[in-house]
Amino acid sequence: MSTTRRQATRRKLYAAAVTLIAEQGFSATTVDEIAERAGVAKGTVYYNFASKNDLFEELLRDGVGRLRDALRQAATAVVARGGSRVDALDAMIHAGLTFIVRYPSFTQLYVAELWRTNRAWQDTLTLVRREAVSVVEEVLAAAVAADELSDEIDVPLTASALFGMVLVAALDWQAFQPERSVDDVHAALSRLLQGRVGGALGGPGLRV
């Protein structure tokens, strides 16, 4: 099987697995069901993955990797056109929200798995989360170095807080306020980021 074809098959299996597991849980989802939903033979699943656990672990790697790349691309694009690092963080929030709208089932599973401690893929989950949060850390550190943000900021904790804020706010939005647009939710989170809550104006040189 060619690399391109195998990647396409894996994508189909990821999509089938994440939908089924979101609907009925990991334990209740069988390999047969995943194969049927993906429109492939059961043997194709085992050709690509050693087990259902392996499939789910790779699904997590793939999904969080896509989120990480989306955040990095958003920040890089802003900096490339001369924007500030705070602007880059703001763009990352928008990119994160857009990702979550596009992949809601994956996001729900990912957040649920973050709270579990007895899964075989816990180490993998910790690693891919670290990779995603580190992208936010890099931009925060650059903002501090450029005197756009206070050097009193705890960069690792703030990066985790921003990452978590987007995930949790987006899930709450999708579940309870789905009538809101991406831009509407982004505007609210942007005000939190830039210190505009309560009407205080933010902008270049902002110190929070």
Side-chain angles (χ1 to χ4, degrees):
M1 183 181 292
S2 69
T3 300
T4 300
R5 184 180 174 190
R6 188 174 189 185
Q7 288 177 341
T9 299
R10 285 186 166 224
R11 296 265 181 242
K12 288 168 63 176
L13 291 170
Y14 291 152
V18 77
T19 302
L20 284 165
I21 294 169
E23 290 173 355
Q24 57 195 34
F26 178 82
S27 298
T29 300
T30 67
V31 172
D32 293 275
E33 289 174 319
I34 293 171
E36 182 179 359
R37 180 69 66 93
V40 302
K42 182 178 179 179
T44 300
V45 179
Y46 288 113
Y47 177 80
N48 285 274
F49 305 100
S51 65
K52 186 176 70 171
N53 277 13
D54 184 47
L55 190 164
F56 191 65
E57 187 170 340
E58 290 303 316
L59 184 159
L60 290 171
R61 286 182 183 275
D62 179 76
V64 180
R66 284 170 174 260
L67 174 57
R68 176 201 62 217
D69 292 346
L71 297 178
R72 178 176 287 122
Q73 289 166 11
T76 299
V78 169
V79 174
R81 61 174 181 262
S84 70
R85 267 63 180 190
V86 172
D87 291 335
L89 289 167
D90 190 58
M92 293 170 89
I93 289 175
H94 193 280
L97 293 172
T98 301
F99 176 92
I100 291 164
V101 170
R102 186 175 181 184
Y103 304 107
S105 294
F106 171 79
T107 305
Q108 291 168 18
L109 284 178
Y110 171 68
V111 172
E113 291 301 320
L114 285 174
W115 292 99
R116 302 181 191 275
T117 58
N118 60 343
R119 297 294 206 186
W121 48 81
Q122 191 64 39
D123 288 345
T124 294
L125 188 63
T126 300
L127 176 62
V128 295
R129 177 200 167 276
R130 175 72 251 154
E131 290 175 353
V133 174
S134 69
V135 176
V136 184
E137 280 188 28
E138 290 170 8
V139 179
L140 272 171
V144 171
D147 202 33
E148 294 178 33
L149 297 175
S150 170
D151 57 10
E152 296 179 357
I153 283 179
D154 184 323
V155 171
L157 184 58
T158 302
S160 295
L162 287 173
F163 188 74
M165 175 185 74
V166 173
L167 287 176
V168 175
L171 288 177
D172 184 87
W173 157 43
Q174 292 289 290
F176 303 111
Q177 304 179 66
E179 71 282 358
R180 289 179 176 271
S181 67
V182 170
D183 289 340
D184 188 22
V185 178
H186 170 245
L189 297 186
S190 178
R191 291 187 186 97
L192 286 176
L193 170 68
Q194 301 200 35
R196 293 175 183 170
V197 176
L201 296 178
L206 171 70
R207 304 183 68 81
V208 296

